[in-house]
Amino acid sequence: MYPRIVPVGDSAILIELGSEIDPEINSQIYFLVAAIERSQLAAIVELIPAYRSLLVNYDPLVSRYGEMVALLDELVAGNAASEVDTGTATIIELPVVYGGEDGPDLDTVADNAGLSIRDVIEIHSGVDYRVYMIGFAPGFPYLGGLDERIATPRLKTPRISVPAGSVGIAESQTGVYPNASPGGWQLIGRTARQLFDVASESPSLITPGSLVRFVPVDAHA
Amino acid sequence: MTLVQDRGRVGYQQLGVSVSGAIDTDALDIGNRLVGNEFDAGSLEVMLGGMVIEFSHSTVFALTGADVSAVLDGVPIAVNVSYVAHSDSRLELGIATNGLRSYVAICGGLSVSRVLGSYSTHVASGIGGVEGRALSEGDVLEIEGLNDASFSGQIFPDGPVLEGSNELEVRVVLGPQDDEFSAVGIDTLLSYDYTVSDQSNRQGLRLDGPEIESKTGRYDIISDAVVNGSIQVPGDGKPIVLLADRQTIGGYAKIATVVTVDLPSLGQVAPGSKISFTAISTEDAQDLLAVRVECVENAELSRLVSPRSVWVDGDEVAVGVAENGVVRLADVDGITYPISVEKYTPR
């Protein structure tokens, strides 16, 4: 059944490589992104990777649907044959001050888990998180790999404003708010690094397909 | 509400940046053509009319999209025609009658900072336009580049005519997740009228109507990318058509996608209007798009009677034939479109 290639209206095509959230399928998505970018197909407008799929926006006045499917089929077939090497992903280190004003819900997360605050920080900062995709808001990463021991339900009442750089937990997800926004995640810390800068050529510090590592620090640099 | 918009912020969706841009792209493109701009120029998108522009320099402008009974220095003007405004001109937009959104294109384009390659305002993320927000009274916008009087007096002959109808037929291509829906569910979408809810905005049109049945009773998918015109169906079974300000990723199954040529009209339907959907093939949708390009981007513009461009007093500009201080531009279907020019001196 996979890969599955289907039209999305008249100017986009969806390529699905699997049916679940899985690091290997997600890696394949980013290999496919790289392969399509290398191919420099004239009709390609924009690629939007997600957990297990890739949306290809194209200009149908340059290449019609049938032609695009044929070109993409070939790239997908070549992609499947390539070795997945997860060792090459970029690691982005984010210094985080855990708890206190920076992480007002750290106690809640610890209580919910039946662990000490120290344990929660150690568990949360102890793994590298895969950036499955970016969405919801500019630069907002969907991270995979949170230890189930510290999974925590969302706040019952979302905050009206969450400060930029806040690191949060919602169920078994963790993430960082690039900009101040409303939000219902349990806030456990904050990074002072600027995650999204519209004035920059590469505006997002965190890029899809990379890894994020949270590094506990005592104070913001 | 008035926003600076262009064709949208393309290229940063994989970083979570919404495209935004004009909703009625036909009106946007026609406006820019009439005043001699490139297609990527920034224009004003005016929701429901009711605004006044005071010009401090002479320039050429065009009003497109919804008819707002606009008046330039006390004289009514038409949509889809370019006019000269003078250094003390006042353009008043009245109430929108046959649609929701009007566009004001200005020769040279609006000079606001480009953010990630686009002038478009995305209010939800505070990006683009003027400080990432809607315009407010007293804002002063600069114009990019030089004005060229020769662009005035142009008319777009076959502009899409907004009928102000409260019934709209919209063509869709089924998918990408039509397989999540039962045959009955798909038939429901294609057989019944849906009513535009007043909860609709630039992010999407919320529709009221019969519930669309999914195969499993669930409507969630593993989140993936959406496009302009994606029809997603959340748990209540009521479709939402995503528009320019949509987020880049969505978690609801998408039963169908509105074809590109029918997207502009979705920006002009008022709450309470009825929408019916018809499925067509991807290939047919692409044929329609090719026709649209011929009709909007390549159609030849007409001129209102023997145009003359004249520079007066260094910057005052007039085009057409002068009569008693009023420049009369040709008869178009029996209607004369005048522009007042106080300081015009016939040669």
Side-chain angles (χ1 to χ4, degrees):
Chain A
M1 185 185 177
Y2 296 100
R4 179 172 176 258
I5 301 181
V6 291
V8 181
D10 52 47
S11 304
I13 289 171
L14 185 69
I15 305 171
E16 294 178 341
L17 296 188
S19 59
E20 57 203 309
I21 299 176
D22 172 87
E24 197 160 310
I25 294 169
N26 191 247
S27 286
Q28 289 281 4
I29 294 288
Y30 289 102
F31 276 93
L32 184 57
V33 168
I36 294 175
E37 282 172 353
R38 271 198 310 276
S39 74
Q40 295 189 320
L41 297 178
I44 303 278
V45 174
E46 186 166 15
L47 304 174
I48 316 176
Y51 284 113
R52 49 148 196 151
S53 68
L54 174 64
L55 186 87
V56 179
N57 286 304
Y58 68 102
D59 182 351
L61 302 176
V62 177
S63 295
R64 288 299 185 107
Y65 177 66
E67 192 187 338
M68 282 305 295
V69 169
L71 292 165
L72 291 171
D73 255 338
E74 209 169 293
L75 290 168
V76 170
N79 193 57
S82 69
E83 282 281 301
V84 175
D85 178 7
T86 50
T88 57
T90 315
I91 297 172
I92 297 148
E93 292 197 348
L94 295 179
V96 174
V97 174
Y98 284 93
E101 278 181 12
D102 292 301
D105 305 322
L106 183 59
D107 291 345
T108 310
V109 172
D111 285 351
N112 184 68
L115 293 165
S116 70
I117 282 174
R118 214 177 128 167
D119 288 341
V120 172
I121 296 173
E122 208 164 273
I123 291 167
H124 187 261
S125 60
V127 286
D128 294 339
Y129 297 94
R130 158 170 290 276
V131 182
Y132 278 104
M133 61 182 183
I134 292 184
F136 172 67
F140 189 98
Y142 286 76
L143 300 176
L146 183 74
D147 194 308
E148 284 296 332
R149 284 177 293 170
I150 57 172
T152 317
R154 287 176 172 80
L155 295 177
K156 286 209 176 73
T157 310
R159 287 185 173 85
I160 290 164
S161 183
V162 171
S166 292
V167 177
I169 287 176
E171 309 299 341
S172 49
Q173 299 177 82
T174 186
V176 197
Y177 288 88
N179 291 299
S181 73
W185 291 30
Q186 305 277 358
L187 307 183
I188 60 170
R190 192 170 66 84
T191 181
R193 289 201 65 179
Q194 187 177 3
L195 297 183
F196 198 85
D197 176 11
V198 290
S200 167
E201 270 296 299
S202 42
S204 186
L205 176 69
I206 300 174
T207 49
S210 56
L211 297 171
V212 168
R213 181 179 294 170
F214 297 107
V215 181
V217 292
D218 293 332
H220 295 297
Chain B
M1 184 176 67
T2 300
L3 298 164
V4 176
Q5 295 295 352
D6 61 12
R7 276 184 166 184
R9 190 165 283 108
V10 177
Y12 297 93
Q13 288 189 83
Q14 64 163 297
L15 301 180
V17 180
S18 294
V19 173
S20 65
I23 297 214
D24 185 343
T25 47
D26 284 348
L28 175 84
D29 285 355
I30 290 168
N32 277 324
R33 287 202 63 200
L34 285 169
V35 299
N37 288 345
E38 300 290 330
F39 284 121
D40 64 351
S43 297
L44 294 177
E45 179 180 278
V46 186
M47 176 83 173
L48 292 173
M51 76 161 324
V52 174
I53 297 173
E54 290 177 344
F55 293 90
S56 56
H57 291 84
S58 63
T59 187
V60 175
F61 74 93
L63 183 70
T64 58
D67 196 338
V68 282
S69 310
V71 170
L72 178 69
D73 297 326
V75 182
I77 62 166
V79 292
N80 295 343
V81 180
S82 57
Y83 293 95
V84 173
H86 293 277
S87 56
D88 54 358
S89 282
R90 184 180 162 91
L91 173 63
E92 294 172 52
L93 309 188
I95 304 300
T97 50
N98 60 350
L100 300 183
R101 293 180 171 90
S102 312
Y103 294 83
V104 181
I106 299 196
C107 186
L110 296 170
S111 180
V112 296
S113 304
R114 264 187 217 256
V115 178
L116 301 176
S118 167
Y119 300 112
S120 284
T121 316
H122 188 250
V123 174
S125 51
I127 287 179
V130 174
E131 300 165 3
R133 60 169 170 82
L135 297 190
S136 54
E137 197 176 336
D139 278 336
V140 176
L141 293 177
E142 290 182 6
I143 295 163
E144 203 160 85
L146 289 171
N147 299 311
D148 186 342
S150 67
F151 292 119
S152 68
Q154 299 199 98
I155 177 167
F156 193 87
D158 304 311
V161 179
L162 291 175
E163 290 164 356
S165 166
N166 54 9
E167 284 177 23
L168 186 67
E169 285 179 36
V170 170
R171 290 161 290 191
V172 301
V173 174
L174 288 176
Q177 280 107 26
D178 49 322
D179 55 345
E180 295 283 326
F181 296 88
S182 66
V184 170
I186 290 169
D187 195 50
T188 303
L189 176 77
L190 300 177
S191 308
Y192 292 91
D193 285 348
Y194 282 84
T195 308
V196 178
S197 143
D198 57 8
Q199 300 292 301
S200 304
N201 54 30
R202 282 181 44 88
Q203 193 176 5
L205 287 186
R206 284 177 177 272
L207 302 177
D208 278 336
E211 235 174 84
I212 294 169
E213 181 186 271
S214 78
K215 268 182 191 160
T216 60
R218 288 174 53 84
Y219 294 83
D220 295 347
I221 56 164
I222 296 174
S223 297
D224 67 5
V226 299
V227 300
N228 201 1
S230 285
I231 304 178
Q232 62 178 24
V233 184
D236 63 4
K238 308 285 174 70
I240 298 173
V241 186
L242 299 178
L243 298 177
D245 276 3
R246 69 197 178 277
Q247 290 177 356
T248 56
I249 299 278
Y252 297 121
K254 294 171 286 293
I255 189 170
T257 311
V258 175
V259 304
T260 303
V261 295
D262 285 349
L263 288 171
S265 59
L266 293 180
Q268 302 289 8
V269 283
S273 304
K274 301 257 186 263
I275 293 185
S276 61
F277 296 101
T278 310
I280 64 170
S281 70
T282 303
E283 290 75 11
D284 286 351
Q286 295 187 337
D287 287 343
L288 290 170
L289 191 57
V291 172
R292 182 262 182 206
V293 168
E294 283 313 304
C295 292
V296 174
E297 296 185 20
N298 298 336
E300 211 166 301
L301 298 178
S302 306
R303 275 271 170 199
L304 300 170
V305 130
S306 63
R308 284 189 291 146
S309 312
V310 192
W311 289 88
V312 183
D313 299 337
D315 65 339
E316 296 287 87
V317 176
V319 176
V321 182
E323 266 181 45
N324 306 327
V326 169
V327 175
R328 292 217 175 271
L329 299 170
D331 284 344
V332 180
D333 296 332
I335 306 164
T336 303
Y337 296 105
I339 301 178
S340 72
V341 256
E342 298 83 352
K343 295 173 189 166
Y344 178 63
T345 317
R347 298 194 172 182

